[in-house]
Amino acid sequence: MLRTLSIRDFVTVEQLELDFQIGFTALTGETGAGKSILFDALGLLLGDRAETHQIRSGAAKAEISAEFGLSPAQATELQTWLDEAGLDALSADEPGLLIRRNIEATGRSRAWINGQSTTLAQLKQLGEQLVNIHGQHAHQALSDPQSQLSMLDRHAGLGPQVKALREAHRQWQAAEQALEKAKAQDQSLAQQKEALAWQIETIESLKLAEGEWDELSQEQQRLAHGAELLEASTAAQTLIDASDQAMTSLLRRQLSRLESLVSKDPGLADAVACLQTAEIALSDAGRELSRYIDRSDLDPERLSQIESRLGDIYDTARKLKTKPEHLIEDLAKAQASLEALMQGSDVAALQKAVDQAKAQYQQLAQPISQTRQAVAKSLGQAVSNWLTELSMVGAQFTVMVNARTTPAAHGLEDIVFGLAHSAQSASQPLAKIASGGELSRVSLALAVVAAQATQTPTLLFDEVDAGIGGNTGHVIGRLLRTLGETHQVMVVTHLPQVAARAHQQLRVQKSINGQGQPTSQVLVLAADQREEEIARMLGDEGLANPSRELARDLLKLA
């Protein structure tokens, strides 16, 4: 249950600290005093979107916090949620939750759960387990088929199942689209596959080895210039080492003469050393040339074979408009592309995928349909019983489950809320037959039935009695007080009949502060103050004795 609510600089509230009790609490006050501000503040704590205009004029930020007490069963359930959300464990001594949220003028919004930073998505998930808010415009949603479906599913506890069904429907539709696309593109894909297959066959016919083009090119260069290489090498080897005037012989003779003269002039030593090094290098060059000449093989037949092979490779590359050295890479790409096309355009495989996705959808949809049928009947009867209490004697509320001709994301049927004004009349769609007052009563009856079925401890009703008056107000008051025996119920109301049934009453009033700004305050009313407030709600501001007496009588009814 909600224990405390703290608000600072929010809309017209400058500062507010409230303690709440179990049972039925009525929030009353003049129109425009700011009664709904408390619910708006709680909505922000529980994940509603924040707007900067909600910050009180002149303030830098709005701050809202609330403390919730938890029953042992609820603490166990929420501890599991906290663990999955990665948040700290609850206190073992006195489990509770402290939720805070700040809204800054810059538009930034921050939130904390038990002192730990959290996301708005987590706030919303947590809020659904703590508080159920029935807004003042909830009856308007009764005209919306999607809202009707959501109400039924929520009452039936089908949330996770419908979520899974929507995902199954999405996958089914995706498979259908892939199949249709494959059929539409079948001719184009056939041409692409034919072109890829020809490219693969052409390259594979070469039986090309990795690196073969580069190796053959190098060998061809060597063989094609073999005669020239051999002639040049032989001439150089002869000049160096194989004639009377060989460079090595001439150098050796001059070096010997200079070496004998070094003793006469040491200045020749460096030059002699350089010539000695040159002699060694020249000898080495001669030996290497000799070895090169010995292993040279001029093979015209091999050269012809290589040039023929290179020609085949080059012609294939030119045909495919690529480079010879890229042929192996192109082959791998073509094979991968063809495989992808074969898989993507396999109509039989795609049809099988469609059939499997459809079967999965049907498997999930059938139990949901059965549950909706069963819950629709029980919900209709429960709401009809409350409509009788709410002065709609003989009215029958129905939940019509109409089979669809084509399956939808939400299932195999549409939901239509209906109303019959008597047992003898046919049920018609609620949006067409119900008046504004009747919509309000149906909305209230639905909210009460849902509240009785929910484990959510705190229920908020914002002007749930809109469009209702007279003795029906007494019925609503009794109804809400009964709910207050098992839940914490807070109601914004304009009806004295409803407020008088509350276990406690808060009055919201607006005034102008010293800066000329409107400021809302909330007062917890004592017994005599409640009498005065009920008398005001009766219409004459509590100045006449008849209103005072009626107020006392109304309070005695509780």
Side-chain angles (χ1 to χ4, degrees), residues 94-127:
E94 188 176 0
L97 288 171
L98 177 62
I99 304 176
R100 295 171 48 224
R101 187 169 180 188
N102 291 352
I103 308 166
E104 299 178 4
T106 59
R108 184 184 183 190
S109 174
R110 302 177 63 195
W112 298 265
I113 297 175
N114 283 349
Q116 289 185 280
S117 181
T118 187
T119 66
L120 292 188
Q122 289 174 327
L123 279 186
K124 188 172 289 289
Q125 292 173 8
L126 179 61

PDB file of all heavy atoms in Angstrom, residues 94-127:
ATOM      1  N   GLU A  94      11.685  -4.813   7.425  1.00  0.00           N
ATOM      2  CA  GLU A  94      10.448  -4.142   7.058  1.00  0.00           C
ATOM      3  C   GLU A  94      10.480  -3.858   5.565  1.00  0.00           C
ATOM      4  O   GLU A  94      10.881  -2.781   5.131  1.00  0.00           O
ATOM      5  CB  GLU A  94      10.281  -2.838   7.845  1.00  0.00           C
ATOM      6  CG  GLU A  94       8.923  -2.199   7.645  1.00  0.00           C
ATOM      7  CD  GLU A  94       8.746  -0.952   8.510  1.00  0.00           C
ATOM      8  OE1 GLU A  94       9.674  -0.603   9.256  1.00  0.00           O
ATOM      9  OE2 GLU A  94       7.684  -0.341   8.412  1.00  0.00           O
ATOM     10  N   PRO A  95      10.078  -4.844   4.749  1.00  0.00           N
ATOM     11  CA  PRO A  95      10.176  -4.666   3.295  1.00  0.00           C
ATOM     12  C   PRO A  95       9.318  -3.503   2.810  1.00  0.00           C
ATOM     13  O   PRO A  95       8.165  -3.350   3.211  1.00  0.00           O
ATOM     14  CB  PRO A  95       9.673  -6.001   2.739  1.00  0.00           C
ATOM     15  CG  PRO A  95       8.842  -6.584   3.824  1.00  0.00           C
ATOM     16  CD  PRO A  95       9.454  -6.126   5.108  1.00  0.00           C
ATOM     17  N   GLY A  96       9.903  -2.683   1.975  1.00  0.00           N
ATOM     18  CA  GLY A  96       9.188  -1.551   1.411  1.00  0.00           C
ATOM     19  C   GLY A  96       9.942  -1.004   0.225  1.00  0.00           C
ATOM     20  O   GLY A  96      11.082  -1.402  -0.051  1.00  0.00           O
ATOM     21  N   LEU A  97       9.327  -0.086  -0.475  1.00  0.00           N
ATOM     22  CA  LEU A  97       9.936   0.522  -1.650  1.00  0.00           C
ATOM     23  C   LEU A  97       9.851   2.041  -1.540  1.00  0.00           C
ATOM     24  O   LEU A  97       8.788   2.585  -1.216  1.00  0.00           O
ATOM     25  CB  LEU A  97       9.218   0.079  -2.925  1.00  0.00           C
ATOM     26  CG  LEU A  97       9.430  -1.369  -3.383  1.00  0.00           C
ATOM     27  CD1 LEU A  97       8.463  -1.685  -4.516  1.00  0.00           C
ATOM     28  CD2 LEU A  97      10.859  -1.587  -3.848  1.00  0.00           C
ATOM     29  N   LEU A  98      10.964   2.700  -1.801  1.00  0.00           N
ATOM     30  CA  LEU A  98      10.992   4.149  -1.877  1.00  0.00           C
ATOM     31  C   LEU A  98      11.301   4.523  -3.331  1.00  0.00           C
ATOM     32  O   LEU A  98      12.370   4.210  -3.846  1.00  0.00           O
ATOM     33  CB  LEU A  98      12.056   4.735  -0.947  1.00  0.00           C
ATOM     34  CG  LEU A  98      12.223   6.263  -1.009  1.00  0.00           C
ATOM     35  CD1 LEU A  98      10.931   6.950  -0.579  1.00  0.00           C
ATOM     36  CD2 LEU A  98      13.395   6.722  -0.159  1.00  0.00           C
ATOM     37  N   ILE A  99      10.352   5.177  -3.971  1.00  0.00           N
ATOM     38  CA  ILE A  99      10.502   5.563  -5.375  1.00  0.00           C
ATOM     39  C   ILE A  99      10.607   7.086  -5.445  1.00  0.00           C
ATOM     40  O   ILE A  99       9.798   7.798  -4.843  1.00  0.00           O
ATOM     41  CB  ILE A  99       9.312   5.080  -6.217  1.00  0.00           C
ATOM     42  CG1 ILE A  99       9.142   3.558  -6.079  1.00  0.00           C
ATOM     43  CG2 ILE A  99       9.496   5.455  -7.678  1.00  0.00           C
ATOM     44  CD1 ILE A  99       7.935   3.020  -6.808  1.00  0.00           C
ATOM     45  N   ARG A 100      11.600   7.570  -6.154  1.00  0.00           N
ATOM     46  CA  ARG A 100      11.808   9.006  -6.319  1.00  0.00           C
ATOM     47  C   ARG A 100      11.928   9.338  -7.800  1.00  0.00           C
ATOM     48  O   ARG A 100      12.441   8.537  -8.589  1.00  0.00           O
ATOM     49  CB  ARG A 100      13.085   9.471  -5.594  1.00  0.00           C
ATOM     50  CG  ARG A 100      13.060   9.335  -4.104  1.00  0.00           C
ATOM     51  CD  ARG A 100      14.443   9.609  -3.512  1.00  0.00           C
ATOM     52  NE  ARG A 100      15.022  10.835  -4.050  1.00  0.00           N
ATOM     53  CZ  ARG A 100      16.296  10.938  -4.454  1.00  0.00           C
ATOM     54  NH1 ARG A 100      17.113   9.911  -4.378  1.00  0.00           N
ATOM     55  NH2 ARG A 100      16.756  12.087  -4.924  1.00  0.00           N
ATOM     56  N   ARG A 101      11.483  10.563  -8.146  1.00  0.00           N
ATOM     57  CA  ARG A 101      11.667  11.025  -9.514  1.00  0.00           C
ATOM     58  C   ARG A 101      11.799  12.546  -9.510  1.00  0.00           C
ATOM     59  O   ARG A 101      11.032  13.232  -8.827  1.00  0.00           O
ATOM     60  CB  ARG A 101      10.497  10.606 -10.401  1.00  0.00           C
ATOM     61  CG  ARG A 101      10.756  10.933 -11.883  1.00  0.00           C
ATOM     62  CD  ARG A 101       9.736  10.287 -12.777  1.00  0.00           C
ATOM     63  NE  ARG A 101       9.987  10.609 -14.177  1.00  0.00           N
ATOM     64  CZ  ARG A 101       9.182  10.305 -15.170  1.00  0.00           C
ATOM     65  NH1 ARG A 101       8.071   9.631 -14.937  1.00  0.00           N
ATOM     66  NH2 ARG A 101       9.477  10.639 -16.411  1.00  0.00           N
ATOM     67  N   ASN A 102      12.764  13.029 -10.265  1.00  0.00           N
ATOM     68  CA  ASN A 102      12.987  14.460 -10.443  1.00  0.00           C
ATOM     69  C   ASN A 102      12.760  14.835 -11.897  1.00  0.00           C
ATOM     70  O   ASN A 102      13.157  14.108 -12.807  1.00  0.00           O
ATOM     71  CB  ASN A 102      14.416  14.854 -10.052  1.00  0.00           C
ATOM     72  CG  ASN A 102      14.658  14.743  -8.555  1.00  0.00           C
ATOM     73  OD1 ASN A 102      13.724  14.504  -7.786  1.00  0.00           O
ATOM     74  ND2 ASN A 102      15.901  14.922  -8.139  1.00  0.00           N
ATOM     75  N   ILE A 103      12.154  16.000 -12.113  1.00  0.00           N
ATOM     76  CA  ILE A 103      11.978  16.544 -13.465  1.00  0.00           C
ATOM     77  C   ILE A 103      12.650  17.902 -13.486  1.00  0.00           C
ATOM     78  O   ILE A 103      12.273  18.801 -12.720  1.00  0.00           O
ATOM     79  CB  ILE A 103      10.490  16.697 -13.825  1.00  0.00           C
ATOM     80  CG1 ILE A 103       9.736  15.396 -13.571  1.00  0.00           C
ATOM     81  CG2 ILE A 103      10.329  17.133 -15.271  1.00  0.00           C
ATOM     82  CD1 ILE A 103       8.242  15.567 -13.578  1.00  0.00           C
ATOM     83  N   GLU A 104      13.643  18.074 -14.330  1.00  0.00           N
ATOM     84  CA  GLU A 104      14.386  19.324 -14.380  1.00  0.00           C
ATOM     85  C   GLU A 104      13.865  20.212 -15.517  1.00  0.00           C
ATOM     86  O   GLU A 104      13.300  19.721 -16.500  1.00  0.00           O
ATOM     87  CB  GLU A 104      15.870  19.034 -14.577  1.00  0.00           C
ATOM     88  CG  GLU A 104      16.465  18.203 -13.443  1.00  0.00           C
ATOM     89  CD  GLU A 104      17.932  17.874 -13.656  1.00  0.00           C
ATOM     90  OE1 GLU A 104      18.506  18.372 -14.654  1.00  0.00           O
ATOM     91  OE2 GLU A 104      18.500  17.121 -12.838  1.00  0.00           O
ATOM     92  N   ALA A 105      14.097  21.512 -15.351  1.00  0.00           N
ATOM     93  CA  ALA A 105      13.607  22.474 -16.339  1.00  0.00           C
ATOM     94  C   ALA A 105      14.241  22.269 -17.703  1.00  0.00           C
ATOM     95  O   ALA A 105      13.685  22.677 -18.728  1.00  0.00           O
ATOM     96  CB  ALA A 105      13.867  23.897 -15.844  1.00  0.00           C
ATOM     97  N   THR A 106      15.398  21.617 -17.736  1.00  0.00           N
ATOM     98  CA  THR A 106      16.076  21.329 -19.002  1.00  0.00           C
ATOM     99  C   THR A 106      15.386  20.219 -19.789  1.00  0.00           C
ATOM    100  O   THR A 106      15.719  19.960 -20.938  1.00  0.00           O
ATOM    101  CB  THR A 106      17.531  20.926 -18.743  1.00  0.00           C
ATOM    102  OG1 THR A 106      17.547  19.757 -17.891  1.00  0.00           O
ATOM    103  CG2 THR A 106      18.296  22.049 -18.068  1.00  0.00           C
ATOM    104  N   GLY A 107      14.435  19.542 -19.139  1.00  0.00           N
ATOM    105  CA  GLY A 107      13.758  18.421 -19.779  1.00  0.00           C
ATOM    106  C   GLY A 107      14.278  17.074 -19.314  1.00  0.00           C
ATOM    107  O   GLY A 107      13.701  16.032 -19.611  1.00  0.00           O
ATOM    108  N   ARG A 108      15.375  17.093 -18.554  1.00  0.00           N
ATOM    109  CA  ARG A 108      15.943  15.835 -18.071  1.00  0.00           C
ATOM    110  C   ARG A 108      15.093  15.283 -16.929  1.00  0.00           C
ATOM    111  O   ARG A 108      14.590  16.043 -16.087  1.00  0.00           O
ATOM    112  CB  ARG A 108      17.369  16.075 -17.577  1.00  0.00           C
ATOM    113  CG  ARG A 108      18.089  14.811 -17.135  1.00  0.00           C
ATOM    114  CD  ARG A 108      19.455  15.142 -16.558  1.00  0.00           C
ATOM    115  NE  ARG A 108      20.179  13.932 -16.201  1.00  0.00           N
ATOM    116  CZ  ARG A 108      21.311  13.926 -15.498  1.00  0.00           C
ATOM    117  NH1 ARG A 108      21.838  15.079 -15.081  1.00  0.00           N
ATOM    118  NH2 ARG A 108      21.918  12.795 -15.207  1.00  0.00           N
ATOM    119  N   SER A 109      14.933  13.978 -16.913  1.00  0.00           N
ATOM    120  CA  SER A 109      14.160  13.311 -15.867  1.00  0.00           C
ATOM    121  C   SER A 109      14.978  12.151 -15.315  1.00  0.00           C
ATOM    122  O   SER A 109      15.576  11.383 -16.080  1.00  0.00           O
ATOM    123  CB  SER A 109      12.832  12.801 -16.441  1.00  0.00           C
ATOM    124  OG  SER A 109      12.135  12.031 -15.483  1.00  0.00           O
ATOM    125  N   ARG A 110      15.004  12.033 -13.996  1.00  0.00           N
ATOM    126  CA  ARG A 110      15.759  10.946 -13.356  1.00  0.00           C
ATOM    127  C   ARG A 110      14.865  10.250 -12.334  1.00  0.00           C
ATOM    128  O   ARG A 110      13.985  10.872 -11.730  1.00  0.00           O
ATOM    129  CB  ARG A 110      17.017  11.491 -12.678  1.00  0.00           C
ATOM    130  CG  ARG A 110      17.964  12.221 -13.618  1.00  0.00           C
ATOM    131  CD  ARG A 110      19.155  12.804 -12.866  1.00  0.00           C
ATOM    132  NE  ARG A 110      19.959  11.750 -12.257  1.00  0.00           N
ATOM    133  CZ  ARG A 110      20.887  11.970 -11.311  1.00  0.00           C
ATOM    134  NH1 ARG A 110      21.088  13.195 -10.864  1.00  0.00           N
ATOM    135  NH2 ARG A 110      21.590  10.962 -10.821  1.00  0.00           N
ATOM    136  N   ALA A 111      15.121   8.963 -12.129  1.00  0.00           N
ATOM    137  CA  ALA A 111      14.292   8.181 -11.211  1.00  0.00           C
ATOM    138  C   ALA A 111      15.155   7.197 -10.432  1.00  0.00           C
ATOM    139  O   ALA A 111      16.199   6.748 -10.903  1.00  0.00           O
ATOM    140  CB  ALA A 111      13.195   7.436 -11.977  1.00  0.00           C
ATOM    141  N   TRP A 112      14.681   6.860  -9.212  1.00  0.00           N
ATOM    142  CA  TRP A 112      15.404   5.927  -8.355  1.00  0.00           C
ATOM    143  C   TRP A 112      14.415   4.990  -7.670  1.00  0.00           C
ATOM    144  O   TRP A 112      13.285   5.373  -7.327  1.00  0.00           O
ATOM    145  CB  TRP A 112      16.170   6.679  -7.262  1.00  0.00           C
ATOM    146  CG  TRP A 112      17.230   7.619  -7.753  1.00  0.00           C
ATOM    147  CD1 TRP A 112      18.561   7.372  -7.902  1.00  0.00           C
ATOM    148  CD2 TRP A 112      17.036   8.980  -8.155  1.00  0.00           C
ATOM    149  NE1 TRP A 112      19.211   8.492  -8.374  1.00  0.00           N
ATOM    150  CE2 TRP A 112      18.303   9.497  -8.533  1.00  0.00           C
ATOM    151  CE3 TRP A 112      15.926   9.821  -8.233  1.00  0.00           C
ATOM    152  CZ2 TRP A 112      18.475  10.803  -8.982  1.00  0.00           C
ATOM    153  CZ3 TRP A 112      16.092  11.117  -8.675  1.00  0.00           C
ATOM    154  CH2 TRP A 112      17.356  11.597  -9.043  1.00  0.00           C
ATOM    155  N   ILE A 113      14.824   3.744  -7.489  1.00  0.00           N
ATOM    156  CA  ILE A 113      14.083   2.767  -6.690  1.00  0.00           C
ATOM    157  C   ILE A 113      14.993   2.341  -5.547  1.00  0.00           C
ATOM    158  O   ILE A 113      16.066   1.785  -5.776  1.00  0.00           O
ATOM    159  CB  ILE A 113      13.673   1.542  -7.524  1.00  0.00           C
ATOM    160  CG1 ILE A 113      12.726   1.957  -8.650  1.00  0.00           C
ATOM    161  CG2 ILE A 113      13.009   0.488  -6.636  1.00  0.00           C
ATOM    162  CD1 ILE A 113      12.365   0.818  -9.592  1.00  0.00           C
ATOM    163  N   ASN A 114      14.561   2.649  -4.323  1.00  0.00           N
ATOM    164  CA  ASN A 114      15.380   2.366  -3.141  1.00  0.00           C
ATOM    165  C   ASN A 114      16.806   2.897  -3.294  1.00  0.00           C
ATOM    166  O   ASN A 114      17.786   2.227  -2.967  1.00  0.00           O
ATOM    167  CB  ASN A 114      15.407   0.862  -2.839  1.00  0.00           C
ATOM    168  CG  ASN A 114      14.121   0.391  -2.186  1.00  0.00           C
ATOM    169  OD1 ASN A 114      13.293   1.197  -1.774  1.00  0.00           O
ATOM    170  ND2 ASN A 114      13.939  -0.922  -2.087  1.00  0.00           N
ATOM    171  N   GLY A 115      16.910   4.101  -3.832  1.00  0.00           N
ATOM    172  CA  GLY A 115      18.195   4.775  -3.953  1.00  0.00           C
ATOM    173  C   GLY A 115      19.015   4.405  -5.164  1.00  0.00           C
ATOM    174  O   GLY A 115      20.073   4.990  -5.388  1.00  0.00           O
ATOM    175  N   GLN A 116      18.540   3.467  -5.957  1.00  0.00           N
ATOM    176  CA  GLN A 116      19.285   3.048  -7.148  1.00  0.00           C
ATOM    177  C   GLN A 116      18.649   3.632  -8.406  1.00  0.00           C
ATOM    178  O   GLN A 116      17.419   3.601  -8.564  1.00  0.00           O
ATOM    179  CB  GLN A 116      19.316   1.526  -7.261  1.00  0.00           C
ATOM    180  CG  GLN A 116      20.198   0.851  -6.212  1.00  0.00           C
ATOM    181  CD  GLN A 116      20.267  -0.648  -6.456  1.00  0.00           C
ATOM    182  OE1 GLN A 116      19.368  -1.377  -6.099  1.00  0.00           O
ATOM    183  NE2 GLN A 116      21.341  -1.084  -7.077  1.00  0.00           N
ATOM    184  N   SER A 117      19.486   4.151  -9.287  1.00  0.00           N
ATOM    185  CA  SER A 117      18.999   4.741 -10.527  1.00  0.00           C
ATOM    186  C   SER A 117      18.268   3.681 -11.351  1.00  0.00           C
ATOM    187  O   SER A 117      18.683   2.524 -11.420  1.00  0.00           O
ATOM    188  CB  SER A 117      20.173   5.313 -11.326  1.00  0.00           C
ATOM    189  OG  SER A 117      19.713   5.905 -12.524  1.00  0.00           O
ATOM    190  N   THR A 118      17.177   4.096 -11.986  1.00  0.00           N
ATOM    191  CA  THR A 118      16.366   3.139 -12.737  1.00  0.00           C
ATOM    192  C   THR A 118      15.836   3.797 -13.999  1.00  0.00           C
ATOM    193  O   THR A 118      15.953   5.005 -14.196  1.00  0.00           O
ATOM    194  CB  THR A 118      15.191   2.630 -11.868  1.00  0.00           C
ATOM    195  OG1 THR A 118      14.510   1.585 -12.551  1.00  0.00           O
ATOM    196  CG2 THR A 118      14.205   3.759 -11.581  1.00  0.00           C
ATOM    197  N   THR A 119      15.254   3.003 -14.879  1.00  0.00           N
ATOM    198  CA  THR A 119      14.699   3.498 -16.139  1.00  0.00           C
ATOM    199  C   THR A 119      13.191   3.675 -16.016  1.00  0.00           C
ATOM    200  O   THR A 119      12.544   3.094 -15.127  1.00  0.00           O
ATOM    201  CB  THR A 119      14.993   2.527 -17.279  1.00  0.00           C
ATOM    202  OG1 THR A 119      14.292   1.291 -17.040  1.00  0.00           O
ATOM    203  CG2 THR A 119      16.498   2.235 -17.376  1.00  0.00           C
ATOM    204  N   LEU A 120      12.605   4.449 -16.947  1.00  0.00           N
ATOM    205  CA  LEU A 120      11.160   4.633 -16.946  1.00  0.00           C
ATOM    206  C   LEU A 120      10.438   3.321 -17.254  1.00  0.00           C
ATOM    207  O   LEU A 120       9.349   3.070 -16.733  1.00  0.00           O
ATOM    208  CB  LEU A 120      10.768   5.696 -17.970  1.00  0.00           C
ATOM    209  CG  LEU A 120      11.211   7.137 -17.664  1.00  0.00           C
ATOM    210  CD1 LEU A 120      10.577   8.092 -18.666  1.00  0.00           C
ATOM    211  CD2 LEU A 120      10.838   7.536 -16.252  1.00  0.00           C
ATOM    212  N   ALA A 121      11.051   2.502 -18.087  1.00  0.00           N
ATOM    213  CA  ALA A 121      10.440   1.192 -18.394  1.00  0.00           C
ATOM    214  C   ALA A 121      10.346   0.351 -17.126  1.00  0.00           C
ATOM    215  O   ALA A 121       9.329  -0.324 -16.885  1.00  0.00           O
ATOM    216  CB  ALA A 121      11.258   0.470 -19.458  1.00  0.00           C
ATOM    217  N   GLN A 122      11.384   0.385 -16.296  1.00  0.00           N
ATOM    218  CA  GLN A 122      11.346  -0.364 -15.039  1.00  0.00           C
ATOM    219  C   GLN A 122      10.318   0.229 -14.080  1.00  0.00           C
ATOM    220  O   GLN A 122       9.618  -0.506 -13.374  1.00  0.00           O
ATOM    221  CB  GLN A 122      12.733  -0.376 -14.405  1.00  0.00           C
ATOM    222  CG  GLN A 122      13.741  -1.241 -15.152  1.00  0.00           C
ATOM    223  CD  GLN A 122      15.140  -1.131 -14.582  1.00  0.00           C
ATOM    224  OE1 GLN A 122      15.556  -0.081 -14.087  1.00  0.00           O
ATOM    225  NE2 GLN A 122      15.892  -2.219 -14.641  1.00  0.00           N
ATOM    226  N   LEU A 123      10.218   1.566 -14.049  1.00  0.00           N
ATOM    227  CA  LEU A 123       9.201   2.198 -13.210  1.00  0.00           C
ATOM    228  C   LEU A 123       7.804   1.740 -13.608  1.00  0.00           C
ATOM    229  O   LEU A 123       6.964   1.442 -12.754  1.00  0.00           O
ATOM    230  CB  LEU A 123       9.287   3.721 -13.340  1.00  0.00           C
ATOM    231  CG  LEU A 123      10.340   4.467 -12.521  1.00  0.00           C
ATOM    232  CD1 LEU A 123      10.138   5.967 -12.683  1.00  0.00           C
ATOM    233  CD2 LEU A 123      10.289   4.096 -11.048  1.00  0.00           C
ATOM    234  N   LYS A 124       7.559   1.686 -14.916  1.00  0.00           N
ATOM    235  CA  LYS A 124       6.235   1.291 -15.404  1.00  0.00           C
ATOM    236  C   LYS A 124       5.940  -0.162 -15.040  1.00  0.00           C
ATOM    237  O   LYS A 124       4.838  -0.494 -14.605  1.00  0.00           O
ATOM    238  CB  LYS A 124       6.142   1.496 -16.918  1.00  0.00           C
ATOM    239  CG  LYS A 124       4.756   1.298 -17.499  1.00  0.00           C
ATOM    240  CD  LYS A 124       4.684   1.709 -18.956  1.00  0.00           C
ATOM    241  CE  LYS A 124       4.764   3.212 -19.107  1.00  0.00           C
ATOM    242  NZ  LYS A 124       3.509   3.869 -18.622  1.00  0.00           N
ATOM    243  N   GLN A 125       6.936  -1.044 -15.191  1.00  0.00           N
ATOM    244  CA  GLN A 125       6.746  -2.447 -14.819  1.00  0.00           C
ATOM    245  C   GLN A 125       6.451  -2.586 -13.331  1.00  0.00           C
ATOM    246  O   GLN A 125       5.569  -3.348 -12.920  1.00  0.00           O
ATOM    247  CB  GLN A 125       7.995  -3.244 -15.191  1.00  0.00           C
ATOM    248  CG  GLN A 125       8.231  -3.386 -16.677  1.00  0.00           C
ATOM    249  CD  GLN A 125       9.560  -4.041 -16.993  1.00  0.00           C
ATOM    250  OE1 GLN A 125      10.254  -4.523 -16.106  1.00  0.00           O
ATOM    251  NE2 GLN A 125       9.931  -4.043 -18.261  1.00  0.00           N
ATOM    252  N   LEU A 126       7.187  -1.838 -12.522  1.00  0.00           N
ATOM    253  CA  LEU A 126       6.972  -1.891 -11.076  1.00  0.00           C
ATOM    254  C   LEU A 126       5.624  -1.296 -10.722  1.00  0.00           C
ATOM    255  O   LEU A 126       4.890  -1.839  -9.877  1.00  0.00           O
ATOM    256  CB  LEU A 126       8.096  -1.134 -10.370  1.00  0.00           C
ATOM    257  CG  LEU A 126       8.016  -1.064  -8.833  1.00  0.00           C
ATOM    258  CD1 LEU A 126       8.053  -2.462  -8.243  1.00  0.00           C
ATOM    259  CD2 LEU A 126       9.142  -0.208  -8.282  1.00  0.00           C
ATOM    260  N   GLY A 127       5.271  -0.172 -11.362  1.00  0.00           N
ATOM    261  CA  GLY A 127       4.016   0.496 -11.050  1.00  0.00           C
ATOM    262  C   GLY A 127       2.805  -0.375 -11.291  1.00  0.00           C
ATOM    263  O   GLY A 127       1.817  -0.308 -10.543  1.00  0.00           O
TER     264      GLY A 127
END
